[in-house]
Amino acid sequence: MQLFSFWVLTVLTAVLSGQQTLADFIKTTWTDLNDPATLSCPEPCSGVETWERSGRKVAKCGVKEESEFSCERRLDQSSLTVPQVNYTTRGFYHTKCDGNVICFQNLQPNSHSSSVEVPAGGPLILDLLTFHPVTLTFSRTDGGSVTPVQMCTVDGRSVLCNAGYEDRVSVCRNSMVLRDVVSADSGVYTVREVNSGAALIRTVSVTVKHVQQSWMWKDEYQQGLKTGALGFGTGGLVLGVIRGFFAVLRGLYLMGRCFQRLKRRDSSHMDQTEDVEKSVPLT
């Protein structure tokens, strides 16, 4: 019991001092950013059981409260549901039974990775995902050095950048804005916390595309439309000539038949006239 109390006291001291030196010795639950998580405490409790984070109660088991967190006990185990894991809800959680700590656990979000394409001359907007102080490093991928270079340190709205970035970087809300990107800005951007063991927050792979590359598909598409229209027009013309030729032939054929009918009709009429004049009965 004394050993357990010692560990609890040490952990609480680390939590209150902002240090995570014992994080490797505590059960840690890793969850993707913004996903829900469930923490559990297997210790029995016959009294009032609560869950706390950083000395603040977040839930009381068996009691419905106006809180995003919810706690329930089944048999000899209680569980706490954290609806959204982010850099505000992460950290050390401990369970109390009648005011005595019986469990503690560490909740952390997985680092976030993504990729993005940015047109040359445009801005790169990078969400820092946390309001804690962070450092931003950059590694080139367009043939330059792959050694990470520290760009800036961001603390709230204050940003301190190295030469070459100080005139191009600003902070808007909780995002870093890099203006007028060029091909040399293509690479991997890494965000790490200044404290908490330099925890990795996110990595973003950035590709800067030239304007010509961005519009190349449009030029090819328009050229394809012109070629297709020309081909369609030529094909339509040939088809029209063929259909016209056959129409002329059919017209000549019909006209020939009409002339033959008229000729036979005139010939028959003349024969009838002659027979009447000669008083020769028609047979």
Side-chain angles (χ1 to χ4, degrees):
M1 184 66 182
Q2 292 180 349
L3 180 60
F4 180 78
S5 300
F6 169 76
W7 280 103
V8 171
L9 179 61
T10 307
V11 171
L12 292 179
T13 302
V15 172
L16 295 176
S17 63
Q19 300 174 358
Q20 296 185 9
T21 56
L22 297 179
D24 294 336
F25 301 95
I26 302 174
K27 179 183 177 181
T28 300
T29 298
W30 295 92
T31 307
D32 288 340
L33 187 66
N34 296 325
D35 280 359
T38 300
L39 307 179
S40 60
C41 176
E43 298 296 328
C45 177
S46 57
V48 178
E49 186 171 4
T50 59
W51 283 78
E52 298 183 1
R53 175 184 176 275
S54 301
R56 184 178 65 87
K57 185 183 74 173
V58 295
K60 183 177 181 180
C61 295
V63 178
K64 292 185 177 180
E65 299 178 326
E66 294 182 359
S67 173
E68 298 179 353
F69 301 84
S70 60
C71 171
E72 62 178 3
R73 171 166 284 279
R74 293 182 179 179
L75 300 177
D76 291 334
Q77 177 172 306
S78 70
S79 61
L80 174 72
T81 300
V82 181
Q84 188 177 40
V85 179
N86 50 42
Y87 291 94
T88 301
T89 59
R90 69 167 182 179
F92 289 100
Y93 288 78
H94 56 273
T95 313
K96 285 185 176 181
C97 180
D98 290 335
N100 298 315
V101 177
I102 57 175
C103 292
F104 48 86
Q105 193 170 150
N106 186 23
L107 176 63
Q108 293 293 328
N110 292 319
S111 59
H112 185 264
S113 298
S114 61
S115 59
V116 65
E117 291 184 350
V118 183
L124 168 63
I125 302 176
L126 182 62
D127 190 345
L128 302 176
L129 301 180
T130 179
F131 291 99
H132 297 154
V134 297
T135 58
L136 184 66
T137 58
F138 168 67
S139 300
R140 291 183 61 180
T141 58
D142 66 339
S145 174
V146 296
T147 303
V149 176
Q150 183 169 331
M151 292 176 52
C152 306
T153 299
V154 180
D155 186 358
R157 294 184 177 276
S158 174
V159 55
L160 180 63
C161 296
N162 294 332
Y165 292 101
E166 53 189 1
D167 295 332
R168 300 171 56 203
V169 173
S170 60
V171 176
C172 180
R173 296 183 180 179
N174 197 42
S175 297
M176 185 276 300
V177 180
L178 177 63
R179 297 181 298 274
D180 303 326
V181 296
V182 295
S183 179
D185 293 319
S186 295
V188 178
Y189 293 77
T190 303
V191 180
R192 289 185 179 274
E193 283 191 291
V194 174
N195 302 319
S196 304
L200 176 62
I201 304 297
R202 72 176 308 184
T203 57
V204 182
S205 179
V206 177
T207 302
V208 177
K209 299 186 66 175
H210 293 289
V211 177
Q212 293 85 351
Q213 293 176 339
S214 302
W215 285 88
M216 185 178 298
W217 69 270
K218 184 175 181 180
D219 294 339
E220 294 177 352
Y221 176 73
Q222 292 178 343
Q223 184 63 33
L225 284 180
K226 293 179 181 179
T227 304
L230 179 60
F232 180 78
T234 304
L237 178 61
V238 173
L239 181 60
V241 171
I242 294 175
R243 293 184 62 180
F245 176 73
F246 281 104
V248 170
L249 292 180
R250 180 175 175 80
L252 293 176
Y253 171 73
L254 294 176
M255 289 177 64
R257 292 188 61 182
C258 289
F259 284 134
Q260 289 179 0
R261 289 180 181 178
L262 291 174
K263 186 176 181 180
R264 285 197 300 268
R265 183 180 301 174
D266 293 341
S267 176
S268 176
H269 179 70
M270 290 176 63
D271 292 341
Q272 291 179 7
T273 304
E274 291 178 355
D275 290 342
V276 171
E277 290 177 351
K278 294 179 181 180
S279 300
V280 178
L282 299 177
T283 59

